[in-house]
Structure formats: C-alpha cells, structure tokens
C-alpha cells in the first residue's frame, strides 16, 4: 500500500489549491479525482448555458498575481468552457497533474488508530495511507433524479445535467423535456428553447430569479480589472458572503414607497446577485421586507410573460425572495412566450408516468425524444455520505451526522482525527462566493498542518465542546433568518431522498466577517478548539 503524508479527495478549485499548499510544506501529497481532468464542478457540468453567477474576476484564484495578469476573461460571467480552460491552465502552471490520480472514485476512508493513519480505498482497488486526509468534494456534486414511475423505460436519451453527454447531443428540432426549474434548470431552459423543435418545461416549484445582466469584457475593462485585483479581492473579503455585493445599511422601512421602488429598479438592472445580496439589510430577517421584494419581482414576471396564466405559474407561492438560492437568468421568462415552449406545473397537472415514448400527465401524453433532468443534488452532505468515512471506535461520519452535521468551523468533526473538510457543513465557505471563502479554508488547513509538522504533533481533532458550541451558534442564527424557516437544500430538505424532510441548516449563517474573526482568534489562542497531541496515545 502506498504511504503518503496527505491525501486530498477532489481536484476542483479547492482541491487544486490544497494540493499546491501542502506540497509547499514539503509533504508527499496525492489528490484522488473521480473525473479525468481537474475542474470539479466545471469539469462535470457541461450543459448548455452553464456559467458563473459570481463575477468572473471575483471567482478566480487570488494567490498567483502572475496568473491574474496573464488570464483574460471574455465575459463578466464566464461560460463553463472558459472556466474549465482556466483551471486546466492553472494545473499546467503549477504542475499539479503529476500528483493527481484521475478516474479514481474513493469508496472508503478508515482511521487506523494504531498507526495514526487514514487508509483510503477506491473503486478500482487502489489503496493509500496517509497522516492527513482532506476532502474537497463539493457541496453540489451528487446528482439526484426522482424515482418517477417508468423512468427507466424511456427509449430516448435521458440524463442529469451534471452527466451531460461528453460528446454533446444534437437537440435541434427535437422534442425535449427539461425537468426542474432551479438555477441549473433555468440556465438549460434558456438555451434549449433556442434550438428544440418543442420544449416542455416540467416544473414543481418555481423560483425567484433575477436578470444576470452579463456582458462581454472589453480589452480596456480587462486592463482596469487587472489593475484593481487587490481592491476586488479586498471588497470580497470585507463583504458578508465573499461577493462583490454587500448589504445596503438601510432597512426597507427607512425609505418611502417611491424610493424603495427606484432602489429595486436600480438593483434589478445591476449585475449578478446585486438584487439579492446588496438589497436592504433586513431582507434576510424581516418577512415584510422579503414580501415587498417578492412583490416587485412578481410584477416583473407578469410584465415579461404575455400569458397571465403562465406568468402566475412562474411566481413562487411557497417561499419569499432570498430565502432560497437565487437563480440568475437571461431571457428566461421570455422563453415562455415562444410558441414552441409549454410549461407543465405538476402540482396542478401531475406526472403520472414516463413511457418509452414520452411523459403522461393528467392532461394527456407528451411525446419526447430527450429528457433532461435538472433535478438538483444531495446538497452539502451527499458527497460525504457516499464515502464510508470511519473514525475512532468504528463510528461512521454518516452515523454521527444522522440527526444533522456537527462540526467545528465546518473544518473538523470530533472522532475523526486529522480529517479536514474544505467546504464542510457549517463552514464559512458554504454560504459564500465559494472560491473566495474556500481559499481561506484551504489556507487555514495548510497553516494548521504546518503548525503540526513544525511541532512534531501526530494528531489533531476538534473537541466536543468546540463543535457543540459552533454548531449551536450556526443553528441558533438560522432560527433568526427567513431562510432557516424555509424548505430548501439550504436547510437539508430534499423530498427525493428518504429521511430528508426535517429542516436542519446545512450552510453557515453568521457572515464571513464573524467566521474570519473566529478563525483568527482560534490561531492566536494556539488553535483553541482543536485537540493536538504528539503521540497517538494522547487524546
């Protein structure tokens, strides 16, 4: 069995950076990646319309000034092929691939108490042991397709958006169904509607969506961005969630109706998450504020969709704006004005069965050539549940988290020594512009490992008290947020997975500034909250 100092599971952005930093400590490191290339999310998701909804220049790596000056983004919100190319370029520049084993899916990781090592085994029989184990497995990486009656009988092409055919698929003139209207579904629908002979959108829960307001980046704009990268990243660090958007300090009630309407119009026309994350400061906690923002967006939908009945179907009634992940769109609502597009609301017109030739609803049969499932993921904890992670005393992480995840800083869980999570549940990187906050997680882990190596420490484990206190703070804050009272993947609700019908906040809720403060204080107090020991006999 191969012996290493550290194993990183996953070679997306977080895993790539973690590999780079751990190698910089002089450790022997290997990353294990299920795909055939680096990129993570940007490797797996290749569906039409897949792109950033964080500004491109806020999403890229910040640690390499040379790379920042070398790379040119073509759009304010780059499409998947460009992002994938960027990450491959980073891998080239840092020579990462020599320490990545591709096409390797991890199935188990067991802590060997006697030797103080993690034993990791893979689907193909490959096995490796290491002192440190770091997961960079993503929060939206395990696709879920509901068990629709007859799903396996469909004779045409069918697939989840994250399993888009690698060789592509010709949808021109085809009869296509897209199932799901979340962030991914909206991106796909916009593009498929341009080429399909007929598109049937199968919707269960409409989502509040806001215009992306994307545009090409001119050479002069790119030069200006390169000159301002330090300011851009500082703006992200000083914001509440790592984006180039931060709350307006006023409350909704501080302004007149006319001022509020003008403010909403302004934010509606700004790029990206502006309407969500630079709205009035009480949007996330005050129901009246969220209702006013929702009413504004409902009016916009009614203005953009010509058929009043269709417009009403596209307006959410089960949640307020900002309480779920907000999809970005470009002409999404206008799609439903096209004669080749139908919207089926399965609440009013249930899907009875999928047959070899299409879908049968209460209203009748819809013939189809292709079914695209944009039905989401087993969010946040799904990738952890897929791997058999066994800690001290034979306890599995799945068992420990049966009633909801328990972590310290989202980075460790007691009973699993030397096991670190870059974007674990309740980590500051879960409700955040992920690369910005994940970089901080990666650097924290690398610094902690370096600290252990310099002091000859053999193990590190979050204390019970630290993880209980951290988890309580996150969950208590969630009770104050409208999002914490809403069914969504944020709160662990997934009706397509057995047992996922009780709300338990999976994301971090206390804001980036508090997270960074706690991390600083943790380090200043000699890694308070982490039990470190020079010998495996110590606890």
């Amino acid at each position: 069995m191969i012996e290493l100092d550290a194993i990183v599971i996953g070679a997306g952005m977080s895993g790539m950076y973690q590999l780079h930093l751990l190698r910089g400590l002089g450790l022997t490191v290997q990353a294990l990646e299920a795909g055939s290339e680096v990129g993570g999310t940007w490797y797996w998701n290749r569906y039409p319309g897949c792109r950033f909804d964080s500004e491109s220049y806020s999403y890229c790596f910040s640690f390499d000034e040379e790379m920042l000056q070398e790379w040119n983004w073509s759009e304010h919100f780059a499409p998947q092929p460009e992002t994938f190319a960027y990450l491959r370029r980073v891998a080239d520049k840092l020579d990462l691939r020599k320490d990545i084993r591709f096409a390797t899916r991890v199935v188990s990781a067991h802590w060997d108490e006697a030797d103080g090592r993690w034993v990791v085994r893979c689907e193909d029989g490959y096995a490796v042991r290491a002192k440190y184990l770091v997961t960079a497995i993503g929060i939206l990486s395990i696709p879920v397709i509901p068990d629709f009656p007859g799903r396996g009988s469909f004779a045409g092409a069918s697939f989840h958006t994250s399993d888009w055919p690698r060789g592509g698929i010709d949808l021109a003139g085809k009869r296509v169904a897209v199932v799901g209207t979340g962030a991914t579904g909206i991106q796909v629908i916009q593009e498929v509607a341009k080429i399909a002979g007929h598109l049937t959108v199968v919707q269960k829960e409409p989502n509040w969506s806001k215009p992306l307001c994307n545009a090409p980046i001119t050479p002069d704009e790119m030069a200006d961005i390169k000159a301002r990268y330090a300011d851009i990243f500082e703006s992200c660090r000083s914001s509440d969630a790592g984006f180039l958007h931060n709350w307006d300090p006023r409350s909704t009630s501080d302004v007149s109706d006319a001022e509020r309407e003008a403010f909403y119009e302004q934010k509606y026309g700004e790029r990206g998450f502006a309407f969500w994350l630079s709205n009035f400061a009480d949007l996330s906690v005050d129901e009246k504020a969220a209702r006013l923002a929702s009413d504004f967006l409902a009016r916009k939908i009614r203005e953009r969709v010509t058929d009043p009945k269709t417009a009403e179907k596209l307006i959410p009634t089960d949640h307020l704006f900002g309480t779920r992940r907000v999809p970005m769109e470009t002409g999404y609502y206008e799609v439903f004005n096209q004669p080749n597009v139908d919207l089926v609301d399965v609440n009013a017109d249930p899907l009875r069965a999928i047959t070899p030739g299409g879908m049968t609803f209460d209203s009748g049969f819809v013939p189809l050539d292709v079914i695209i499932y944009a039905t989401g993921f087993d969010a946040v904890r799904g990738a952890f549940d897929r791997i058999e992670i066994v800690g001290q005393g034979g306890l599995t992480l799945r068992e420990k988290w049966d009633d909801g995840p328990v972590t310290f800083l989202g980075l460790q869980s007691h009973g699993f020594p030397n096991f670190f999570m870059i974007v674990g549940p309740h980590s500051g990187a879960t409700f955040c512009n992920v690369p910005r906050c994940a970089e901080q997680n990666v650097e924290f882990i690398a610094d902690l490992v370096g600290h252990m190596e310099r002091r000859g420490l053999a193990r590190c484990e979050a204390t019970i008290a630290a993880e209980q206190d951290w988890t309580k703070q996150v969950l208590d804050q969630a009770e104050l947020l409208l999002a914490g009272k809403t069914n969504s993947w944020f709160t662990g609700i997934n009706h397509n997975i057995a047992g996922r019908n009780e709300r338990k906040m999976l994301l971090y809720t206390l804001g980036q500034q508090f997270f960074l403060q706690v991390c600083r204080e943790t380090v200043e107090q000699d890694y308070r909250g982490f039990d470190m020991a020079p010998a495996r006999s110590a606890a």
Side-chain angles (χ1 to χ4, degrees):
M1 186 178 294
I2 295 174
E3 296 277 349
L4 297 169
D5 294 320
I7 301 163
V8 178
I9 304 177
M13 290 190 75
S14 300
M16 292 167 66
Y17 189 31
Q18 191 75 78
L19 172 61
H20 173 63
L21 290 189
L22 292 179
R23 289 196 319 192
L25 295 174
L27 303 182
T28 56
V29 191
Q30 185 176 58
L32 305 176
E33 168 56 47
S36 61
E37 247 295 5
V38 298
T41 290
W42 304 104
Y43 167 84
W44 293 106
N45 292 278
R46 304 186 187 193
Y47 57 84
C50 182
R51 66 175 62 247
F52 287 147
D53 46 22
S54 308
E55 287 78 357
S56 306
Y57 32 89
S58 79
Y59 196 97
C60 53
F61 289 113
S62 68
F63 65 87
D64 190 329
E65 180 63 27
E66 185 177 285
M67 187 66 186
L68 289 171
Q69 297 303 315
E70 171 189 319
W71 188 264
N72 294 311
W73 294 106
S74 67
E75 301 177 42
H76 287 275
F77 302 90
Q80 180 272 338
E82 185 172 333
T83 309
F84 188 34
Y86 165 74
L87 294 174
R88 297 200 306 275
R89 176 69 188 95
V90 172
D92 290 340
K93 188 173 187 296
L94 301 179
D95 194 20
L96 295 178
R97 291 184 187 83
K98 68 180 182 182
D99 292 314
I100 303 173
R101 191 175 193 268
F102 293 105
T104 303
R105 189 173 294 279
V106 174
V107 295
S108 68
H110 289 228
W111 172 251
D112 185 333
E113 183 67 25
D115 292 336
R117 293 289 185 274
W118 282 95
V119 179
V120 176
R121 300 185 185 278
C122 305
E123 238 175 25
D124 64 357
Y126 182 73
V128 59
R129 291 161 55 89
K131 179 179 179 180
Y132 305 106
L133 175 61
V134 184
T135 57
I137 49 184
I139 60 174
L140 297 171
S141 57
I142 305 300
V144 173
I145 300 177
D147 189 20
F148 296 118
R151 178 164 67 88
S153 71
F154 183 62
S158 65
F159 43 85
H160 192 277
T161 49
S162 67
D163 293 320
W164 196 271
R166 290 293 175 257
I169 182 170
D170 182 10
L171 299 177
K174 299 287 180 64
R175 300 167 300 181
V176 182
V178 175
V179 184
T181 53
T184 296
I186 285 173
Q187 288 184 331
V188 171
I189 288 162
Q190 294 168 170
E191 297 304 313
V192 173
K194 297 174 182 176
I195 56 175
H198 190 274
L199 172 62
T200 301
V201 175
V202 182
Q203 172 186 273
K204 182 178 182 182
E205 297 172 338
N207 283 278
W208 298 108
S209 189
K210 182 263 177 200
L212 181 63
C213 301
N214 192 20
I217 297 176
T218 67
D220 286 347
E221 284 178 314
M222 195 65 236
D224 177 63
I225 288 167
K226 288 179 178 181
R228 294 188 299 107
Y229 263 126
D231 293 336
I232 289 169
F233 294 134
E234 180 55 37
S235 293
C236 291
R237 275 192 293 272
S238 62
S239 71
D240 197 48
F243 291 94
L244 285 171
H245 309 283
N246 208 6
W247 300 111
D248 189 290
R250 299 170 297 175
S251 293
T252 307
S253 58
D254 289 343
V255 300
S256 68
D257 291 351
E259 288 173 317
R260 184 183 67 249
E261 190 74 7
F263 178 77
Y264 285 163
E265 284 286 356
Q266 175 192 332
K267 292 299 172 183
Y268 193 74
E270 291 180 3
R271 291 193 180 105
F273 287 133
F275 191 88
W276 185 15
L277 298 178
S278 61
N279 211 307
F280 294 113
D282 56 348
L283 176 69
S284 65
V285 295
D286 185 85
E287 186 172 341
K288 182 179 178 182
R291 172 63 64 192
L292 288 168
S294 301
D295 289 345
F296 173 86
L297 291 176
R299 291 195 296 274
K300 288 294 185 183
I301 295 170
R302 293 183 182 110
E303 290 171 7
R304 293 172 60 184
V305 179
T306 55
D307 177 55
K309 291 183 179 179
T310 301
E312 293 308 311
K313 291 178 183 178
L314 292 166
I315 296 172
T317 58
D318 63 340
H319 70 285
L320 295 171
F321 173 75
T323 59
R324 290 183 180 174
R325 198 266 200 223
V326 178
M328 298 287 101
E329 53 89 11
T330 303
Y332 171 67
Y333 293 108
E334 286 74 13
V335 161
F336 298 96
N337 300 331
Q338 296 179 201
N340 68 323
V341 177
D342 288 328
L343 174 64
V344 179
D345 176 2
V346 296
N347 297 299
D349 189 5
L351 172 60
R352 293 305 179 189
I354 297 175
T355 70
M359 291 180 166
T360 300
F361 298 92
D362 265 9
S363 60
F365 177 71
V366 176
L368 296 168
D369 302 307
V370 180
I371 300 176
I372 300 168
Y373 294 103
T375 47
F377 300 85
D378 185 355
V380 185
R381 61 174 293 173
F384 292 98
D385 287 347
R386 174 174 280 195
I387 302 170
E388 184 185 62
I389 301 171
V390 184
Q392 296 176 103
L395 177 68
T396 69
L397 192 64
R398 194 181 300 116
E399 290 168 336
K400 179 173 181 180
W401 288 359
D402 186 55
D403 192 39
V406 181
T407 76
F408 178 45
L409 299 175
L411 298 174
Q412 269 206 325
S413 196
H414 179 77
F416 299 82
N418 296 4
F419 172 72
F420 302 96
M421 302 168 284
I422 296 176
V423 189
H426 305 156
S427 155
T430 49
F431 187 76
C432 189
N433 186 359
V434 173
R436 298 278 58 78
C437 299
E439 276 192 359
Q440 187 275 340
N441 280 193
V442 168
E443 291 163 0
F444 186 97
I445 292 168
D447 289 346
L448 190 156
V449 168
H451 171 85
M452 291 178 65
E453 291 297 300
R454 288 190 299 274
R455 295 198 178 186
L457 299 170
R459 63 186 278 155
C460 171
E461 180 183 4
T463 67
I464 293 175
E467 70 173 13
Q468 287 180 341
D469 178 63
W470 181 254
T471 303
K472 184 178 186 303
Q473 288 187 72
V474 171
L475 297 183
D476 285 351
Q477 178 65 18
E479 289 297 312
L480 304 178
L481 301 175
L482 297 176
K485 304 180 179 83
T486 303
N487 289 347
S488 75
W489 64 263
F490 287 3
T491 52
I493 299 295
N494 191 325
H495 298 303
N496 298 318
I497 301 174
R500 297 291 174 82
N501 53 8
E502 182 180 348
R503 285 186 209 139
K504 189 67 66 93
M505 179 60 76
L506 299 178
L507 305 190
Y508 173 69
T509 59
L510 294 154
Q512 182 184 203
Q513 301 313 307
F514 180 74
F515 185 82
L516 295 175
Q517 175 189 332
V518 173
C519 287
R520 284 192 298 269
E521 292 172 352
T522 296
V523 175
E524 290 166 0
Q525 296 173 32
D526 200 26
Y527 288 100
R528 170 184 55 83
F530 294 101
D531 232 347
M532 299 191 193
R536 59 182 177 271
S537 59

